[in-house]
Amino acid sequence: SFAPLQRALLRTALDAVRVGGIVGYATCSPHLAETRAVVTDILKQRPETELIDARPLLPGVPALGEGPDVQLWPHLHGTDAMYLALIRRTG
């Protein structure tokens, strides 16, 4: 139920960031509807954006997956089920 609000917030952040700037989209949710689906939808709507690899920002954190986004898990990382995607405004 948070996905529409999350999409609106992410769109607003991308409107506010300068060309070349990066927006970090983070949630404390493991639900695809609030994580990857939000990012995928925004990237389709905004051709002037690109997803960049978030994994290098978490050195020493094991099992980050194939990227470029990151989903953390309590049983693997000792954290909440946090999600992180980095989106650069390219134009």
Side-chain angles (χ1 to χ4, degrees):
S1 65
F2 289 114
L5 175 60
Q6 290 163 320
R7 282 179 181 81
L9 291 169
L10 185 51
R11 277 192 295 270
T12 300
L14 288 167
D15 288 341
V17 73
R18 66 175 173 77
V19 173
I22 297 171
V23 171
Y25 175 71
T27 72
C28 57
S29 173
H31 301 288
L32 290 174
E34 295 180 33
T35 59
R36 287 191 174 117
V38 169
V39 171
T40 299
D41 288 350
I42 294 298
L43 290 171
K44 286 179 185 175
Q45 295 170 10
R46 306 287 296 256
E48 78 285 3
T49 61
E50 66 181 353
L51 192 58
I52 61 175
D53 198 345
R55 295 170 300 166
L57 295 176
L58 302 169
V61 178
L64 291 178
E66 295 181 17
D69 53 356
V70 171
Q71 177 70 60
L72 300 177
W73 299 103
H75 66 285
L76 289 178
H77 306 104
T79 66
D80 289 339
M82 295 179 284
Y83 173 82
L84 173 63
L86 300 177
I87 302 170
R88 177 182 291 129
R89 183 173 172 192
T90 58

